[in-house]
């Protein structure tokens, strides 16, 4: 997708087999009174199988228009790369990786509501529910919670067990 502002009134749905590559100045922006809860939704159609990839979402800007939306919602997909992307003005969640997928990698991403903007209650910059995901070189600005993982939280007893196992080896 080339440079320019692309205004949409309902979610852009990307099937598993479709990747999205945007130039740095390409902007997908939610129009006022947006009809949906996420600007872009990845995973419409059949679930990918382990030997397949779900592709990538790279470059550009996803702009929620300062509405209580999620910028990018990723449903049950495996082996997806999200990179070189800015998600801004999506005041509920920047990026939300739902449970049911794995090996979803977020690299060089910025989720920004802005320090002077009002985020939605319980907002999260990057939220992932499933396991085996990687977040590196991410900047999260202006959300109530920066990064949240709902997968297998490490409690103090679990950490002590891991330490004991490591000491025994």
């Amino acid at each position: 997708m080339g440079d320019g502002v692309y205004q949409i009134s309902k979610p852009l749905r990307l099937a598993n087999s479709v990747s999205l590559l945007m130039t740095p100045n390409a902007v997908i922006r939610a129009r006022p009174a947006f009809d949906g809860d996420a600007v872009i939704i990845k995973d419409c159609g059949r679930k990918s199988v382990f030997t397949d990839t779900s592709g990538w979402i790279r470059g550009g800007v996803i702009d929620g228009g300062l509405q209580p939306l999620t910028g990018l919602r990723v449903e049950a997909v495996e082996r997806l790369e999200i990179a070189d992307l800015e998600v801004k003005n999506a005041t509920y969640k920047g990026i939300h990786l739902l449970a049911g997928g794995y090996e979803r990698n977020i690299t060089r991403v910025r989720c920004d509501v802005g320090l002077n903007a009002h985020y939605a209650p319980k907002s999260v910059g990057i939220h992932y529910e499933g396991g085996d995901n990687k977040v590196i070189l991410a900047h999260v600005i202006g959300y109530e919670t920066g990064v949240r993982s709902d997968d297998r939280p490490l409690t103090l007893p679990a950490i002590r067990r891991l330490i004991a196992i490591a000491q025994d080896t």
Side-chain angles (χ1 to χ4, degrees):
M1 183 175 285
D3 289 354
V5 177
Y6 304 88
Q7 295 196 29
I8 59 175
S9 56
K10 61 182 181 178
L12 174 60
R13 302 181 74 84
L14 301 174
N16 251 346
S17 60
V18 175
S19 291
L20 177 62
L21 177 61
M22 297 185 282
T23 61
N25 295 312
V27 179
I28 298 174
R29 179 175 294 143
R31 290 181 184 265
F34 188 79
D35 184 20
D37 60 1
V39 180
I40 296 178
I41 301 171
K42 174 70 172 166
D43 183 32
C44 310
R46 71 172 182 82
K47 190 173 180 180
S48 65
V49 296
F50 180 75
T51 56
D52 293 334
T53 176
S54 296
W56 59 83
I57 298 171
R58 290 189 195 133
V61 177
I62 299 170
D63 187 341
L66 287 175
Q67 298 175 73
L69 302 170
T70 296
L72 172 61
R73 185 174 74 217
V74 177
E75 297 180 350
V77 301
E78 293 86 22
R79 305 179 72 203
L80 173 69
E81 177 188 358
I82 301 166
D84 306 314
L85 175 70
E86 180 179 5
V87 179
K88 68 180 191 177
N89 301 325
T91 65
Y92 182 56
K93 290 185 181 178
I95 298 173
H96 187 186
L97 307 178
L98 298 178
Y102 52 86
E103 292 183 26
R104 298 170 296 182
N105 300 313
I106 299 173
T107 308
R108 297 176 308 278
V109 168
R110 177 183 175 98
C111 296
D112 186 359
V113 171
L115 295 176
N116 297 320
H118 294 286
Y119 54 78
K122 299 183 181 179
S123 67
V124 182
I126 298 172
H127 181 188
Y128 57 95
E129 298 179 16
D132 298 330
N133 299 301
K134 180 169 50 174
V135 178
I136 58 174
L137 299 173
H139 297 269
V140 179
I141 301 164
Y143 288 90
E144 189 172 284
T145 301
V147 178
R148 174 178 159 188
S149 170
D150 293 344
D151 184 55
R152 293 171 273 183
L154 284 177
T155 61
L156 190 54
I159 292 170
R160 286 184 181 138
R161 281 192 301 274
L162 290 172
I163 292 170
I165 291 168
Q167 290 174 344
D168 289 341
T169 58

